[in-house]
Structure formats: C-alpha cells, structure tokens
C-alpha cells in the first residue's frame, strides 16, 4: 500500500531498493533524497517541491512524473537518461544531469537558478539548453561539435572543452 509522509525538514530514503514512487505522498520542506535506489521514472512524485530532489545513482530512464517546480536543486546525475523530457519547468537551485547517456538537452528547465551541469554525456551540441543559468554552466567531457544552443544568459562561468587537432581535450572557461 502507499506511504504518506509529511515532514518539517527533509525526507531521506537514500541507499534502499525503492523501485517506484507510486502510492507515496511526500511533503518535505527541505527536500527529498532518493539517491542510490532502483527508480526508473518519477511517476507519483509531488507536483511541487519546496526543497531539493536528489535522484543520483538510480536507474532513471525518464523524468516523466517529475515535479513541475523544484524550489531547490534537482540532481538526476549518473542514471540512464537519454533525454530530459518531463524535467521540471522551474528549478530554483542547480540542475545536474551529468553522467547519463544524453544526446539532447531538449526538455530541460528554461531557467536554472544556480548551476547547470550536463558533463559526461553524449551531447554534440547544446540545443535545448536553459535560456538562463544563474551560476556556472558546465558541459565537459561531451563529444561537442558545436556550442550552438548555449544559454543566452550565464551568471557564472561557462566551462566546456575545446578539441585540439592532436585530440587533446583542454578545459575552457569563459566568463
């Protein structure tokens, strides 16, 4: 049967074998940590979350069912995501989708309040990237052929890799 949790602070259920959020009702002021579980999608997640949603090291293949608004950080790094359709519309903190199998940034929030990290994926360009990133934009270790689609407004550094003729990859930082 379902689980209903209403907590004043955070809800921490990391390092378990949770496979689904369906039937769960979680209202946590400071956020939810479901890292290191067996989730494949986010059906059953709350529509709005005041704090952060930490989902790294699961088996996520989709962000379908993700909250539409995340008041803190959304970390969906080190999963099996190929696309980000279903990602929240608004992420007030950082958005971290590094270490997946992404071939496109289509579906990411239009604005990310703090840092955006899409490093360690299979991106060839940055089309679909957020229009505005309040902090750093990191896209290291991708087979980028173009920076087309890069965010229009970046409040911090733009960190990417430039491929040199002898195949050395040298990090580039732009302000």
């Amino acid at each position: 049967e379902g689980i209903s949790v209403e907590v004043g602070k955070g809800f921490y259920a990391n390092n378990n074998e949770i496979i689904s959020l369906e039937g769960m009702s979680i209202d946590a002021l400071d956020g939810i940590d479901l890292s290191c579980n067996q989730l494949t999608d986010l059906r059953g997640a709350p529509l709005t979350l005041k704090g952060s949603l930490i989902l790294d090291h699961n088996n996520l293949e989709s962000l379908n069912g993700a909250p539409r608004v995340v008041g803190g950080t959304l970390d969906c790094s080190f999963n099996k995501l190929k696309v980000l359709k279903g990602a929240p519309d608004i992420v007030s903190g950082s958005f971290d989708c590094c270490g997946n199998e992404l071939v496109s940034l289509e579906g990411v929030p239009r604005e990310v309040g703090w840092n955006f990290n899409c490093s360690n994926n299979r991106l060839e360009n940055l089309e679909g990237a957020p229009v505005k990133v309040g902090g750093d934009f990191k896209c290291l270790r991708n087979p980028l052929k173009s920076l087309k689609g890069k965010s229009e407004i970046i409040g911090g550094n733009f960190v990417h890799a430039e491929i040199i003729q002898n195949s050395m990859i040298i990090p580039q930082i732009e302000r």
Side-chain angles (χ1 to χ4, degrees):
E1 195 94 15
I3 297 172
S4 180
V5 180
E6 188 174 329
V7 291
K9 294 289 181 185
F11 177 73
Y12 304 96
N14 52 319
N15 291 304
N16 286 287
E17 295 182 12
I18 297 171
I19 58 172
S20 174
L21 298 179
E22 290 192 277
M24 294 179 96
S25 174
I26 304 169
D27 185 15
L29 183 62
D30 289 344
I32 300 171
D33 185 347
L34 293 165
S35 59
C36 302
N37 279 291
Q38 303 295 320
L39 295 170
T40 57
D41 66 41
L42 299 175
R43 287 176 292 172
L47 288 176
T48 300
L49 185 61
K50 298 171 190 163
S52 296
L53 182 57
I54 310 302
L55 301 162
D56 62 284
H57 294 90
N58 273 279
N59 294 317
L60 289 174
E61 296 173 355
S62 165
L63 292 180
N64 288 335
R68 301 314 327 138
V69 176
V70 175
T73 290
L74 176 64
D75 184 349
C76 57
S77 62
F78 301 101
N79 278 283
K80 297 178 180 178
L81 296 167
K82 291 186 171 120
V83 295
L84 293 169
K85 289 185 177 146
D89 300 318
I90 298 170
V91 174
S92 298
S94 294
F95 186 93
D96 190 343
C97 56
C98 74
N100 279 288
E101 302 168 12
L102 297 174
V103 295
S104 169
L105 293 177
E106 295 295 328
V108 301
R110 288 189 45 75
E111 291 188 21
V112 173
W114 195 235
N115 297 324
F116 179 78
N117 186 0
C118 61
S119 299
N120 292 44
N121 279 289
R122 298 179 182 169
L123 299 170
E124 293 186 0
N125 62 57
L126 301 174
E127 290 181 27
V131 173
K132 180 180 179 183
V133 174
D136 293 342
F137 184 124
K138 297 178 184 177
C139 56
L140 292 163
R141 293 177 291 287
N142 279 294
L144 290 172
K145 294 180 179 172
S146 162
L147 298 179
K148 184 177 180 184
K150 172 184 126 178
S151 298
E152 296 171 19
I153 302 168
I154 300 172
N157 295 316
F158 176 55
V159 184
H160 62 97
E162 185 176 313
I163 300 176
I164 308 298
Q165 280 185 330
N166 64 3
S167 297
M168 285 181 52
I169 298 175
I170 300 175
Q172 301 293 308
I173 301 174
E174 299 176 20
R175 287 198 176 257

